Amino acid sequence: DIQMTQSPASLSASLEEIVTITCQASQDIGNWLSWYQQKPGKSPQLLIYGATSLADGVPSRFSGSRSGTQYSLKISRLQVEDIGIYYCLQAYSAPYTFGAGTKLELK
Amino acid sequence: QVKLQQSGAELVKPGASVKLSCKTSGYTFSTSYMSWFKQIPGQSIEWIGMIYAGDGGTGYNQKFKGKATLTVDTSSSTAYMDLSSLTTEDSAVYFCARRSHHWFAYWGQGTLVTVSS
């Protein structure tokens, strides 16, 4: 199975701050990496697909990048509504696997 | 608009089985893929498996083979997941999600399954 190592596990940041979350894949997954935000009691919401493409309706302060097998999600100016847990997902090969999650809190 | 409406919370006894549903609307169900996921509260998400509604073809995470069985009813645009021989380790929230290429833009609201005597 492909392992997705996500970091940090938790992050405390201030409003308007730049936030970066990373996922390291254990092998090549191409661009088949997506990012999700999950709020308590809710289902995950797609933010980024294909490693770098912004999903419909997602604010432009979110962006995704790739360097080899390392993938990053960046929030350019943190807003209150961005608080939640973020997950990466590889859907390159089955079984699809998620990162362990990053809990983002306000400082 | 695309909607995935999951069935309500279940309280089941150890050893029993449960069938969860995911009723869809707003897109062509019969040519789509549906995946199911498991999330124990406070933990990350696991992919259980996927079914193609066109022919009922399935693919499972090895971890869930024998535990989960995926089916569809194209006449009602509904996907189902049977969970068998339930134990307390099966207590979790289960999500259905429609696969678009290699990502999941549409999710059900989740069904909480509690296994307890």
Side-chain angles (χ1 to χ4, degrees), chain A residues 32 36 38 43-44 46 49 87 89 91 94-96 98-100, chain B residues 37 39 43-45 47 50 61 95 99 102-105 107-108:
Chain A
W32 300 134
Y36 300 82
Q38 189 178 33
S43 53
L46 177 67
Y49 64 92
Y87 297 98
L89 166 67
Y96 302 157
F98 287 83
Chain B
F37 300 86
Q39 186 174 37
Q43 297 188 19
S44 185
I45 306 167
W47 178 76
M50 181 165 57
N61 184 337
F95 295 100
R99 195 190 84 165
H102 292 261
W103 49 86
F104 300 90
W107 293 70

Side-chain angles (χ1 to χ4, degrees), chain B residues 1 8-10 12 18 22 33 42 44 52 55 60 64 70 75 83 93 96-97 99 102 106 112 117:
Chain B
Q1 68 279 31
E10 299 274 3
V12 293
V18 69
C22 174
Y33 291 86
S44 185
Y52 177 58
D55 61 6
Y60 293 93
F64 293 95
L70 306 184
S75 68
L83 297 171
V93 177
C96 59
R99 195 190 84 165
H102 292 261
Y106 299 99
L112 175 64
S117 55

